[in-house]
Short mmCIF file of all heavy atoms in Angstrom, two decimals:
data_model
loop_
_atom_site.label_atom_id
_atom_site.label_comp_id
_atom_site.label_asym_id
_atom_site.label_seq_id
_atom_site.Cartn_x
_atom_site.Cartn_y
_atom_site.Cartn_z
N MET A 1011 -71.56 -30.61 9.38
CA MET A 1011 -70.60 -31.36 10.11
C MET A 1011 -71.30 -32.26 11.11
O MET A 1011 -72.30 -31.82 11.65
CB MET A 1011 -69.61 -30.38 10.82
CG MET A 1011 -68.38 -31.11 11.35
SD MET A 1011 -66.95 -30.12 11.72
CE MET A 1011 -67.63 -28.69 12.70
N MET A 1012 -70.85 -33.51 11.15
CA MET A 1012 -71.49 -34.45 12.08
C MET A 1012 -70.39 -35.31 12.74
O MET A 1012 -69.26 -35.37 12.26
CB MET A 1012 -72.49 -35.33 11.34
CG MET A 1012 -71.76 -36.34 10.34
SD MET A 1012 -73.04 -37.44 9.66
CE MET A 1012 -71.91 -38.48 8.61
N SER A 1013 -70.73 -36.05 13.70
CA SER A 1013 -69.78 -36.87 14.39
C SER A 1013 -69.68 -38.23 13.62
O SER A 1013 -70.63 -38.60 12.92
CB SER A 1013 -70.14 -37.26 15.83
OG SER A 1013 -71.13 -38.20 15.87
N LEU A 1014 -68.47 -38.85 13.68
CA LEU A 1014 -68.23 -40.09 12.90
C LEU A 1014 -69.29 -41.15 13.38
O LEU A 1014 -69.64 -42.01 12.60
CB LEU A 1014 -66.82 -40.52 13.13
CG LEU A 1014 -66.41 -41.77 12.31
CD1 LEU A 1014 -66.52 -41.44 10.76
CD2 LEU A 1014 -65.02 -42.28 12.68
N ALA A 1015 -69.68 -41.12 14.54
CA ALA A 1015 -70.70 -42.10 15.16
C ALA A 1015 -71.94 -42.08 14.36
O ALA A 1015 -72.65 -43.10 14.32
CB ALA A 1015 -70.93 -41.77 16.58
N ARG A 1016 -72.29 -40.98 13.67
CA ARG A 1016 -73.52 -40.97 12.85
C ARG A 1016 -73.24 -41.28 11.41
O ARG A 1016 -74.20 -41.27 10.61
CB ARG A 1016 -74.09 -39.53 12.95
CG ARG A 1016 -74.54 -39.30 14.40
CD ARG A 1016 -75.16 -37.86 14.51
NE ARG A 1016 -76.41 -37.83 13.80
CZ ARG A 1016 -76.99 -36.77 13.35
NH1 ARG A 1016 -76.45 -35.59 13.60
NH2 ARG A 1016 -78.05 -36.76 12.65
N GLY A 1017 -72.04 -41.65 11.07
CA GLY A 1017 -71.70 -41.96 9.64
C GLY A 1017 -72.17 -43.38 9.21
O GLY A 1017 -72.66 -44.17 10.02
N LYS A 1018 -72.15 -43.54 7.88
CA LYS A 1018 -72.51 -44.89 7.29
C LYS A 1018 -71.30 -45.72 7.12
O LYS A 1018 -70.15 -45.25 6.95
CB LYS A 1018 -73.18 -44.57 5.95
CG LYS A 1018 -74.44 -43.76 5.96
CD LYS A 1018 -75.16 -43.53 4.65
CE LYS A 1018 -76.39 -42.89 4.83
NZ LYS A 1018 -76.64 -41.82 3.82
N LEU A 1019 -71.52 -47.01 7.03
CA LEU A 1019 -70.53 -48.02 6.92
C LEU A 1019 -69.88 -47.85 5.47
O LEU A 1019 -70.61 -47.49 4.52
CB LEU A 1019 -70.97 -49.40 7.05
CG LEU A 1019 -71.48 -49.86 8.47
CD1 LEU A 1019 -72.04 -51.25 8.47
CD2 LEU A 1019 -70.43 -49.60 9.48
N ASN A 1020 -68.65 -48.14 5.35
CA ASN A 1020 -67.90 -48.16 4.08
C ASN A 1020 -68.04 -46.86 3.23
O ASN A 1020 -68.01 -47.00 2.02
CB ASN A 1020 -68.32 -49.35 3.24
CG ASN A 1020 -68.15 -50.64 3.97
OD1 ASN A 1020 -67.02 -50.90 4.47
ND2 ASN A 1020 -69.08 -51.51 4.14
N THR A 1021 -68.12 -45.72 3.98
CA THR A 1021 -68.24 -44.46 3.23
C THR A 1021 -67.04 -43.67 3.72
O THR A 1021 -66.92 -43.34 4.94
CB THR A 1021 -69.55 -43.70 3.61
OG1 THR A 1021 -70.62 -44.62 3.27
CG2 THR A 1021 -69.58 -42.39 2.92
N PRO A 1022 -66.22 -43.28 2.79
CA PRO A 1022 -65.00 -42.48 3.21
C PRO A 1022 -65.43 -41.02 3.66
O PRO A 1022 -66.25 -40.40 2.97
CB PRO A 1022 -64.16 -42.32 1.97
CG PRO A 1022 -64.83 -42.96 0.92
CD PRO A 1022 -66.12 -43.51 1.42
N TYR A 1023 -64.94 -40.61 4.82
CA TYR A 1023 -65.16 -39.30 5.34
C TYR A 1023 -63.81 -38.56 5.49
O TYR A 1023 -62.84 -39.20 5.80
CB TYR A 1023 -65.89 -39.30 6.64
CG TYR A 1023 -67.29 -39.82 6.57
CD1 TYR A 1023 -67.55 -41.18 6.95
CD2 TYR A 1023 -68.38 -39.08 6.11
CE1 TYR A 1023 -68.83 -41.72 6.81
CE2 TYR A 1023 -69.69 -39.62 6.06
CZ TYR A 1023 -69.93 -40.84 6.47
OH TYR A 1023 -71.17 -41.39 6.30
N THR A 1024 -63.88 -37.27 5.48
CA THR A 1024 -62.66 -36.41 5.80
C THR A 1024 -62.87 -35.88 7.19
O THR A 1024 -63.89 -35.29 7.40
CB THR A 1024 -62.45 -35.28 4.68
OG1 THR A 1024 -62.40 -35.91 3.41
CG2 THR A 1024 -61.25 -34.55 5.04
N VAL A 1025 -61.87 -36.03 8.02
CA VAL A 1025 -61.93 -35.49 9.40
C VAL A 1025 -61.82 -33.97 9.30
O VAL A 1025 -60.89 -33.52 8.67
CB VAL A 1025 -60.79 -36.03 10.25
CG1 VAL A 1025 -60.80 -35.49 11.59
CG2 VAL A 1025 -60.82 -37.60 10.29
N ASN A 1026 -62.90 -33.33 9.99
CA ASN A 1026 -62.86 -31.84 10.05
C ASN A 1026 -62.06 -31.39 11.33
O ASN A 1026 -61.29 -30.45 11.28
CB ASN A 1026 -64.27 -31.29 10.00
CG ASN A 1026 -64.80 -31.25 8.57
OD1 ASN A 1026 -64.16 -30.87 7.71
ND2 ASN A 1026 -66.09 -31.61 8.54
N CYS A 1027 -62.39 -32.03 12.41
CA CYS A 1027 -61.76 -31.65 13.67
C CYS A 1027 -62.05 -32.81 14.68
O CYS A 1027 -62.82 -33.65 14.44
CB CYS A 1027 -62.30 -30.35 14.21
SG CYS A 1027 -63.98 -30.38 14.69
N VAL A 1028 -61.27 -32.78 15.81
CA VAL A 1028 -61.50 -33.63 16.93
C VAL A 1028 -62.11 -32.70 18.01
O VAL A 1028 -61.58 -31.77 18.48
CB VAL A 1028 -60.25 -34.27 17.43
CG1 VAL A 1028 -60.57 -35.10 18.61
CG2 VAL A 1028 -59.63 -35.12 16.33
N ASN A 1029 -63.41 -32.99 18.33
CA ASN A 1029 -64.21 -32.14 19.21
C ASN A 1029 -64.26 -32.79 20.59
O ASN A 1029 -65.15 -33.56 20.91
CB ASN A 1029 -65.59 -32.00 18.65
CG ASN A 1029 -66.43 -30.97 19.44
OD1 ASN A 1029 -65.89 -30.24 20.04
ND2 ASN A 1029 -67.77 -31.10 19.31
N THR A 1030 -63.30 -32.40 21.37
CA THR A 1030 -63.28 -32.96 22.82
C THR A 1030 -62.45 -31.92 23.67
O THR A 1030 -61.59 -31.25 23.18
CB THR A 1030 -62.59 -34.34 22.95
OG1 THR A 1030 -62.62 -34.75 24.23
CG2 THR A 1030 -61.21 -34.36 22.35
N ASP A 1031 -62.83 -31.87 24.91
CA ASP A 1031 -62.14 -31.10 25.91
C ASP A 1031 -61.04 -31.89 26.66
O ASP A 1031 -60.28 -31.36 27.33
CB ASP A 1031 -63.10 -30.59 26.95
CG ASP A 1031 -64.07 -29.58 26.40
OD1 ASP A 1031 -63.78 -28.85 25.39
OD2 ASP A 1031 -65.21 -29.45 26.94
N HIS A 1032 -61.07 -33.20 26.26
CA HIS A 1032 -60.03 -34.07 26.93
C HIS A 1032 -58.77 -34.23 26.05
O HIS A 1032 -58.81 -34.83 24.88
CB HIS A 1032 -60.61 -35.46 27.19
CG HIS A 1032 -61.81 -35.43 28.05
ND1 HIS A 1032 -61.74 -35.33 29.40
CD2 HIS A 1032 -63.14 -35.56 27.71
CE1 HIS A 1032 -63.02 -35.25 29.91
NE2 HIS A 1032 -63.86 -35.41 28.93
N GLU A 1033 -57.64 -33.67 26.46
CA GLU A 1033 -56.44 -33.63 25.68
C GLU A 1033 -55.94 -35.01 25.48
O GLU A 1033 -55.39 -35.31 24.34
CB GLU A 1033 -55.38 -32.82 26.49
CG GLU A 1033 -54.18 -32.56 25.55
CD GLU A 1033 -54.50 -31.68 24.25
OE1 GLU A 1033 -55.44 -30.82 24.32
OE2 GLU A 1033 -53.93 -31.97 23.32
N ASP A 1034 -56.17 -36.06 26.35
CA ASP A 1034 -55.69 -37.37 26.23
C ASP A 1034 -56.45 -38.05 25.01
O ASP A 1034 -55.85 -38.80 24.25
CB ASP A 1034 -55.89 -38.14 27.41
CG ASP A 1034 -57.20 -38.19 28.09
OD1 ASP A 1034 -58.05 -37.30 27.76
OD2 ASP A 1034 -57.55 -39.15 28.84
N ILE A 1035 -57.80 -37.79 24.80
CA ILE A 1035 -58.48 -38.34 23.70
C ILE A 1035 -57.95 -37.78 22.46
O ILE A 1035 -57.79 -38.48 21.43
CB ILE A 1035 -60.06 -38.01 23.87
CG1 ILE A 1035 -60.62 -38.87 25.00
CG2 ILE A 1035 -60.72 -38.28 22.60
CD1 ILE A 1035 -62.02 -38.53 25.32
N ARG A 1036 -57.78 -36.44 22.39
CA ARG A 1036 -57.28 -35.79 21.15
C ARG A 1036 -55.93 -36.39 20.79
O ARG A 1036 -55.64 -36.73 19.57
CB ARG A 1036 -57.06 -34.30 21.39
CG ARG A 1036 -56.70 -33.51 20.19
CD ARG A 1036 -56.46 -32.00 20.57
NE ARG A 1036 -57.44 -31.46 21.48
CZ ARG A 1036 -58.65 -31.00 21.17
NH1 ARG A 1036 -59.05 -31.04 19.98
NH2 ARG A 1036 -59.40 -30.49 22.16
N GLU A 1037 -55.04 -36.53 21.75
CA GLU A 1037 -53.67 -37.09 21.51
C GLU A 1037 -53.78 -38.49 21.01
O GLU A 1037 -52.94 -38.95 20.14
CB GLU A 1037 -52.73 -36.99 22.74
CG GLU A 1037 -52.34 -35.60 23.06
CD GLU A 1037 -51.50 -35.35 24.32
OE1 GLU A 1037 -51.05 -36.45 24.87
OE2 GLU A 1037 -51.33 -34.26 24.78
N PHE A 1038 -54.62 -39.29 21.69
CA PHE A 1038 -54.84 -40.73 21.21
C PHE A 1038 -55.21 -40.80 19.78
O PHE A 1038 -54.66 -41.52 19.02
CB PHE A 1038 -55.75 -41.43 22.13
CG PHE A 1038 -56.04 -42.84 21.68
CD1 PHE A 1038 -55.07 -43.80 21.85
CD2 PHE A 1038 -57.19 -43.17 21.20
CE1 PHE A 1038 -55.30 -45.17 21.48
CE2 PHE A 1038 -57.47 -44.53 20.67
CZ PHE A 1038 -56.49 -45.45 20.87
N LEU A 1039 -56.26 -39.99 19.42
CA LEU A 1039 -56.73 -40.06 17.98
C LEU A 1039 -55.60 -39.59 17.09
O LEU A 1039 -55.42 -40.05 15.96
CB LEU A 1039 -57.97 -39.14 17.91
CG LEU A 1039 -59.20 -39.74 18.53
CD1 LEU A 1039 -60.34 -38.79 18.60
CD2 LEU A 1039 -59.58 -41.12 17.88
N PHE A 1040 -54.87 -38.58 17.46
CA PHE A 1040 -53.70 -38.16 16.59
C PHE A 1040 -52.70 -39.27 16.44
O PHE A 1040 -52.14 -39.37 15.30
CB PHE A 1040 -53.05 -36.88 17.16
CG PHE A 1040 -53.88 -35.61 16.93
CD1 PHE A 1040 -55.16 -35.66 16.35
CD2 PHE A 1040 -53.31 -34.34 17.42
CE1 PHE A 1040 -55.82 -34.46 16.10
CE2 PHE A 1040 -54.04 -33.18 17.22
CZ PHE A 1040 -55.32 -33.18 16.61
N THR A 1041 -52.49 -40.01 17.47
CA THR A 1041 -51.44 -41.13 17.29
C THR A 1041 -51.95 -42.19 16.28
O THR A 1041 -51.19 -42.93 15.72
CB THR A 1041 -51.17 -41.85 18.68
OG1 THR A 1041 -52.31 -42.41 19.15
CG2 THR A 1041 -50.55 -40.87 19.62
N LEU A 1042 -53.37 -42.31 16.15
CA LEU A 1042 -53.92 -43.21 15.15
C LEU A 1042 -53.82 -42.58 13.72
O LEU A 1042 -54.21 -43.27 12.76
CB LEU A 1042 -55.33 -43.51 15.52
CG LEU A 1042 -55.65 -44.20 16.77
CD1 LEU A 1042 -57.19 -44.47 16.87
CD2 LEU A 1042 -54.87 -45.42 17.02
N GLY A 1043 -53.45 -41.30 13.62
CA GLY A 1043 -53.46 -40.65 12.34
C GLY A 1043 -54.79 -39.96 12.04
O GLY A 1043 -55.07 -39.70 10.89
N CYS A 1044 -55.62 -39.78 13.10
CA CYS A 1044 -56.97 -39.24 12.87
C CYS A 1044 -56.83 -37.79 13.24
O CYS A 1044 -57.04 -37.39 14.33
CB CYS A 1044 -57.88 -40.03 13.78
SG CYS A 1044 -59.61 -39.65 13.34
N TYR A 1045 -56.66 -36.89 12.25
CA TYR A 1045 -56.47 -35.50 12.40
C TYR A 1045 -57.08 -34.83 11.21
O TYR A 1045 -57.32 -35.44 10.16
CB TYR A 1045 -55.02 -35.04 12.61
CG TYR A 1045 -54.01 -35.63 11.70
CD1 TYR A 1045 -53.80 -35.07 10.43
CD2 TYR A 1045 -53.21 -36.81 12.13
CE1 TYR A 1045 -52.89 -35.71 9.59
CE2 TYR A 1045 -52.32 -37.30 11.23
CZ TYR A 1045 -52.19 -36.82 9.97
OH TYR A 1045 -51.22 -37.35 9.18
N PRO A 1046 -57.36 -33.54 11.29
CA PRO A 1046 -58.05 -32.84 10.17
C PRO A 1046 -57.37 -32.98 8.88
O PRO A 1046 -56.24 -32.94 8.65
CB PRO A 1046 -57.97 -31.30 10.65
CG PRO A 1046 -57.94 -31.47 12.14
CD PRO A 1046 -57.09 -32.63 12.44
N GLY A 1047 -58.23 -33.26 7.83
CA GLY A 1047 -57.86 -33.53 6.48
C GLY A 1047 -57.57 -34.95 6.12
O GLY A 1047 -57.53 -35.35 5.00
N GLU A 1048 -57.54 -35.83 7.11
CA GLU A 1048 -57.25 -37.27 6.95
C GLU A 1048 -58.55 -37.96 6.63
O GLU A 1048 -59.70 -37.63 7.12
CB GLU A 1048 -56.70 -37.87 8.20
CG GLU A 1048 -56.05 -39.17 8.00
CD GLU A 1048 -54.92 -39.18 6.87
OE1 GLU A 1048 -54.05 -38.31 6.99
OE2 GLU A 1048 -55.07 -39.99 5.93
N LYS A 1049 -58.51 -38.95 5.69
CA LYS A 1049 -59.68 -39.75 5.41
C LYS A 1049 -59.87 -40.86 6.44
O LYS A 1049 -58.93 -41.53 6.90
CB LYS A 1049 -59.52 -40.38 4.04
CG LYS A 1049 -59.45 -39.45 2.90
CD LYS A 1049 -60.83 -39.16 2.34
CE LYS A 1049 -60.66 -38.37 1.04
NZ LYS A 1049 -61.25 -37.06 1.21
N VAL A 1050 -61.19 -41.11 6.80
CA VAL A 1050 -61.50 -42.17 7.78
C VAL A 1050 -62.74 -42.87 7.28
O VAL A 1050 -63.65 -42.25 6.68
CB VAL A 1050 -61.68 -41.67 9.08
CG1 VAL A 1050 -62.80 -40.63 9.23
CG2 VAL A 1050 -61.94 -42.65 10.20
N THR A 1051 -62.81 -44.16 7.32
CA THR A 1051 -63.87 -44.99 6.99
C THR A 1051 -64.30 -45.99 8.09
O THR A 1051 -63.46 -46.59 8.66
CB THR A 1051 -63.48 -45.87 5.67
OG1 THR A 1051 -63.04 -45.01 4.64
CG2 THR A 1051 -64.71 -46.62 5.13
N ILE A 1052 -65.66 -45.98 8.32
CA ILE A 1052 -66.10 -47.01 9.32
C ILE A 1052 -66.31 -48.32 8.55
O ILE A 1052 -67.08 -48.45 7.63
CB ILE A 1052 -67.61 -46.65 9.79
CG1 ILE A 1052 -67.47 -45.13 10.43
CG2 ILE A 1052 -68.09 -47.62 10.86
CD1 ILE A 1052 -68.85 -44.59 10.78
N ILE A 1053 -65.61 -49.39 8.98
CA ILE A 1053 -65.59 -50.68 8.40
C ILE A 1053 -66.75 -51.52 8.99
O ILE A 1053 -67.50 -52.09 8.28
CB ILE A 1053 -64.26 -51.47 8.67
CG1 ILE A 1053 -63.02 -50.66 8.08
CG2 ILE A 1053 -64.42 -52.82 8.06
CD1 ILE A 1053 -63.20 -50.36 6.67
N SER A 1054 -66.93 -51.41 10.26
CA SER A 1054 -68.09 -52.05 10.89
C SER A 1054 -68.40 -51.42 12.25
O SER A 1054 -67.66 -50.65 12.83
CB SER A 1054 -67.77 -53.53 11.17
OG SER A 1054 -66.83 -53.73 12.16
N LYS A 1055 -69.69 -51.72 12.67
CA LYS A 1055 -70.13 -51.11 13.95
C LYS A 1055 -70.88 -52.23 14.72
O LYS A 1055 -71.86 -52.88 14.05
CB LYS A 1055 -71.03 -49.97 13.65
CG LYS A 1055 -71.66 -49.29 14.95
CD LYS A 1055 -72.68 -48.29 14.61
CE LYS A 1055 -73.36 -47.77 15.86
NZ LYS A 1055 -74.44 -46.93 15.62
N LEU A 1056 -70.53 -52.56 15.88
CA LEU A 1056 -71.01 -53.56 16.65
C LEU A 1056 -71.28 -53.00 18.01
O LEU A 1056 -70.30 -52.70 18.74
CB LEU A 1056 -70.14 -54.83 16.70
CG LEU A 1056 -70.72 -56.07 17.34
CD1 LEU A 1056 -72.05 -56.49 16.53
CD2 LEU A 1056 -69.72 -57.18 17.43
N ALA A 1057 -72.62 -52.86 18.49
CA ALA A 1057 -72.90 -52.27 19.73
C ALA A 1057 -72.30 -50.88 19.75
O ALA A 1057 -72.60 -50.06 18.84
CB ALA A 1057 -72.47 -53.13 20.93
N SER A 1058 -71.48 -50.54 20.68
CA SER A 1058 -70.84 -49.20 20.74
C SER A 1058 -69.46 -49.20 20.34
O SER A 1058 -68.71 -48.30 20.67
CB SER A 1058 -71.04 -48.58 22.10
OG SER A 1058 -70.35 -49.29 23.09
N ASN A 1059 -69.03 -50.29 19.60
CA ASN A 1059 -67.63 -50.42 19.08
C ASN A 1059 -67.62 -50.18 17.59
O ASN A 1059 -68.39 -50.73 16.91
CB ASN A 1059 -67.06 -51.73 19.46
CG ASN A 1059 -66.67 -51.90 20.98
OD1 ASN A 1059 -66.15 -50.97 21.54
ND2 ASN A 1059 -67.13 -52.96 21.45
N TYR A 1060 -66.61 -49.37 17.16
CA TYR A 1060 -66.45 -49.05 15.80
C TYR A 1060 -65.12 -49.57 15.27
O TYR A 1060 -64.07 -49.33 15.90
CB TYR A 1060 -66.50 -47.59 15.52
CG TYR A 1060 -67.84 -46.98 15.84
CD1 TYR A 1060 -68.24 -46.80 17.13
CD2 TYR A 1060 -68.78 -46.57 14.80
CE1 TYR A 1060 -69.48 -46.14 17.48
CE2 TYR A 1060 -69.91 -45.94 15.16
CZ TYR A 1060 -70.31 -45.82 16.48
OH TYR A 1060 -71.52 -45.27 16.75
N ILE A 1061 -65.08 -50.26 14.13
CA ILE A 1061 -63.79 -50.51 13.51
C ILE A 1061 -63.67 -49.53 12.37
O ILE A 1061 -64.50 -49.47 11.55
CB ILE A 1061 -63.78 -51.95 12.89
CG1 ILE A 1061 -64.16 -53.04 13.94
CG2 ILE A 1061 -62.49 -52.24 12.18
CD1 ILE A 1061 -63.27 -53.15 15.00
N ILE A 1062 -62.59 -48.70 12.43
CA ILE A 1062 -62.35 -47.71 11.49
C ILE A 1062 -61.05 -47.94 10.71
O ILE A 1062 -60.14 -48.58 11.16
CB ILE A 1062 -62.35 -46.29 12.07
CG1 ILE A 1062 -61.17 -46.13 13.08
CG2 ILE A 1062 -63.68 -45.88 12.70
CD1 ILE A 1062 -60.87 -44.74 13.56
N ASN A 1063 -61.01 -47.42 9.49
CA ASN A 1063 -59.83 -47.55 8.60
C ASN A 1063 -59.27 -46.11 8.51
O ASN A 1063 -59.96 -45.23 8.02
CB ASN A 1063 -60.26 -48.12 7.31
CG ASN A 1063 -59.02 -48.49 6.50
OD1 ASN A 1063 -57.93 -48.47 6.96
ND2 ASN A 1063 -59.33 -48.93 5.26
N VAL A 1064 -57.99 -45.99 8.96
CA VAL A 1064 -57.25 -44.64 8.80
C VAL A 1064 -55.95 -45.02 8.31
O VAL A 1064 -55.16 -45.81 8.84
CB VAL A 1064 -57.15 -43.99 10.08
CG1 VAL A 1064 -56.42 -42.64 9.96
CG2 VAL A 1064 -58.49 -43.68 10.77
N LYS A 1065 -55.55 -44.43 7.21
CA LYS A 1065 -54.27 -44.64 6.59
C LYS A 1065 -53.80 -46.13 6.47
O LYS A 1065 -52.81 -46.54 6.88
CB LYS A 1065 -53.10 -43.92 7.48
CG LYS A 1065 -53.14 -42.44 7.42
CD LYS A 1065 -51.90 -41.91 8.14
CE LYS A 1065 -51.80 -40.43 7.82
NZ LYS A 1065 -50.51 -39.91 8.21
N ASP A 1066 -54.68 -46.83 5.81
CA ASP A 1066 -54.40 -48.20 5.47
C ASP A 1066 -54.32 -49.09 6.74
O ASP A 1066 -53.64 -50.15 6.75
CB ASP A 1066 -53.31 -48.52 4.62
CG ASP A 1066 -53.50 -47.82 3.25
OD1 ASP A 1066 -54.67 -47.76 2.80
OD2 ASP A 1066 -52.57 -47.32 2.64
N ALA A 1067 -54.74 -48.67 7.87
CA ALA A 1067 -54.72 -49.41 9.16
C ALA A 1067 -56.13 -49.44 9.78
O ALA A 1067 -56.80 -48.51 9.58
CB ALA A 1067 -53.69 -48.79 10.09
N ARG A 1068 -56.43 -50.58 10.42
CA ARG A 1068 -57.76 -50.64 11.09
C ARG A 1068 -57.60 -50.53 12.60
O ARG A 1068 -56.67 -51.12 13.20
CB ARG A 1068 -58.36 -52.00 10.73
CG ARG A 1068 -58.80 -52.03 9.35
CD ARG A 1068 -59.59 -53.30 9.00
NE ARG A 1068 -60.01 -53.16 7.59
CZ ARG A 1068 -60.84 -54.09 7.03
NH1 ARG A 1068 -61.39 -55.00 7.66
NH2 ARG A 1068 -61.07 -53.97 5.74
N TYR A 1069 -58.49 -49.81 13.23
CA TYR A 1069 -58.54 -49.62 14.62
C TYR A 1069 -60.02 -49.81 15.24
O TYR A 1069 -60.98 -49.58 14.54
CB TYR A 1069 -58.13 -48.17 15.04
CG TYR A 1069 -56.68 -47.79 14.50
CD1 TYR A 1069 -56.53 -46.97 13.39
CD2 TYR A 1069 -55.56 -48.32 15.07
CE1 TYR A 1069 -55.27 -46.74 12.93
CE2 TYR A 1069 -54.32 -48.01 14.65
CZ TYR A 1069 -54.22 -47.16 13.55
OH TYR A 1069 -52.87 -46.92 13.08
N SER A 1070 -59.99 -50.23 16.41
CA SER A 1070 -61.25 -50.38 17.15
C SER A 1070 -61.31 -49.17 18.13
O SER A 1070 -60.44 -48.97 18.95
CB SER A 1070 -61.28 -51.71 17.89
OG SER A 1070 -62.42 -51.74 18.72
N ILE A 1071 -62.39 -48.44 17.93
CA ILE A 1071 -62.63 -47.33 18.90
C ILE A 1071 -64.04 -47.48 19.52
O ILE A 1071 -64.95 -48.09 18.94
CB ILE A 1071 -62.47 -45.94 18.23
CG1 ILE A 1071 -63.57 -45.78 17.10
CG2 ILE A 1071 -61.10 -45.78 17.72
CD1 ILE A 1071 -63.47 -44.37 16.55
N ASP A 1072 -64.28 -46.84 20.65
CA ASP A 1072 -65.56 -46.81 21.24
C ASP A 1072 -66.40 -45.64 20.86
O ASP A 1072 -65.91 -44.82 20.07
CB ASP A 1072 -65.47 -46.90 22.75
CG ASP A 1072 -64.83 -45.70 23.42
OD1 ASP A 1072 -64.73 -44.61 22.77
OD2 ASP A 1072 -64.51 -45.78 24.63
N GLU A 1073 -67.58 -45.62 21.24
CA GLU A 1073 -68.58 -44.59 20.80
C GLU A 1073 -68.17 -43.18 21.26
O GLU A 1073 -68.32 -42.19 20.54
CB GLU A 1073 -70.01 -44.90 21.29
CG GLU A 1073 -71.01 -44.09 20.56
CD GLU A 1073 -72.45 -44.70 20.68
OE1 GLU A 1073 -72.66 -45.43 21.67
OE2 GLU A 1073 -73.17 -44.49 19.77
N ASP A 1074 -67.55 -43.08 22.39
CA ASP A 1074 -67.07 -41.74 22.84
C ASP A 1074 -66.08 -41.15 21.91
O ASP A 1074 -66.03 -39.97 21.59
CB ASP A 1074 -66.47 -41.85 24.27
CG ASP A 1074 -67.49 -42.14 25.30
OD1 ASP A 1074 -68.67 -41.80 25.06
OD2 ASP A 1074 -67.10 -42.60 26.38
N LEU A 1075 -65.05 -42.01 21.48
CA LEU A 1075 -64.04 -41.57 20.39
C LEU A 1075 -64.76 -41.23 19.10
O LEU A 1075 -64.37 -40.30 18.46
CB LEU A 1075 -63.01 -42.66 20.32
CG LEU A 1075 -62.07 -42.81 21.44
CD1 LEU A 1075 -61.09 -44.03 21.30
CD2 LEU A 1075 -61.23 -41.58 21.75
N ALA A 1076 -65.64 -42.07 18.70
CA ALA A 1076 -66.32 -41.91 17.43
C ALA A 1076 -67.15 -40.54 17.43
O ALA A 1076 -67.17 -39.87 16.47
CB ALA A 1076 -67.26 -43.06 17.01
N ASN A 1077 -67.74 -40.24 18.61
CA ASN A 1077 -68.42 -38.91 18.74
C ASN A 1077 -67.48 -37.74 18.72
O ASN A 1077 -67.92 -36.67 18.45
CB ASN A 1077 -69.28 -38.97 20.07
CG ASN A 1077 -70.57 -39.66 19.86
OD1 ASN A 1077 -71.32 -39.42 18.81
ND2 ASN A 1077 -70.94 -40.53 20.72
N ALA A 1078 -66.23 -37.97 19.17
CA ALA A 1078 -65.31 -36.89 19.15
C ALA A 1078 -64.77 -36.54 17.81
O ALA A 1078 -64.33 -35.35 17.56
CB ALA A 1078 -64.10 -37.12 20.12
N ILE A 1079 -64.83 -37.45 16.80
CA ILE A 1079 -64.32 -37.23 15.53
C ILE A 1079 -65.37 -36.61 14.68
O ILE A 1079 -66.45 -37.16 14.38
CB ILE A 1079 -63.95 -38.58 14.87
CG1 ILE A 1079 -62.83 -39.22 15.64
CG2 ILE A 1079 -63.37 -38.27 13.36
CD1 ILE A 1079 -62.46 -40.66 15.26
N MET A 1080 -65.18 -35.35 14.25
CA MET A 1080 -66.15 -34.63 13.42
C MET A 1080 -65.74 -34.65 11.96
O MET A 1080 -64.61 -34.39 11.66
CB MET A 1080 -66.26 -33.18 13.87
CG MET A 1080 -66.59 -32.94 15.44
SD MET A 1080 -68.05 -33.79 15.91
CE MET A 1080 -69.32 -32.78 15.11
N VAL A 1081 -66.71 -35.08 11.17
CA VAL A 1081 -66.53 -35.25 9.70
C VAL A 1081 -67.43 -34.42 8.95
O VAL A 1081 -68.47 -33.88 9.42
CB VAL A 1081 -66.65 -36.70 9.24
CG1 VAL A 1081 -65.56 -37.55 9.83
CG2 VAL A 1081 -68.01 -37.31 9.63
#
C-alpha cells in the first residue's frame, strides 16, 4: 500500500483507505467520491497540486490530500 502522491500518471488505482487523523479531510475526500474500493487516476501533477479523476469527474487536490489517499 502506498499514498496516491507516489503514484504514476494515468494509472488507475483503487483506494484502500483514507489515512488521516483529520476528520474534515476524510469527509472532504468522501464528498469527492474518494472512498475505499473506488478507482482514482492521477491526470497530472504540477508542483504539489494533483489533478485526479474520480467517478468521471476531475478534481484538484494538494499534496496533503494526495498523501492521505492510500492505494
Side-chain angles (χ1 to χ4, degrees):
M1011 192 161 46
M1012 68 174 182
S1013 75
L1014 186 63
R1016 298 182 61 201
K1018 296 182 176 136
L1019 295 180
N1020 299 313
T1021 303
Y1023 294 99
T1024 301
V1025 177
N1026 281 320
C1027 67
V1028 175
N1029 186 21
T1030 181
D1031 292 332
H1032 301 283
E1033 193 58 36
D1034 55 340
I1035 290 177
R1036 186 185 321 276
E1037 287 178 13
F1038 176 72
L1039 289 171
F1040 283 3
T1041 64
L1042 300 185
C1044 194
Y1045 46 80
E1048 195 59 51
K1049 295 270 191 248
V1050 60
T1051 305
I1052 304 170
I1053 303 300
S1054 70
K1055 179 183 172 189
L1056 187 62
S1058 62
N1059 289 313
Y1060 295 76
I1061 306 297
I1062 61 168
N1063 192 7
V1064 180
K1065 289 190 167 193
D1066 299 326
R1068 289 185 180 191
Y1069 301 104
S1070 175
I1071 61 171
D1072 65 15
E1073 196 161 26
D1074 290 339
L1075 289 172
N1077 277 315
I1079 301 169
M1080 303 306 288
V1081 294

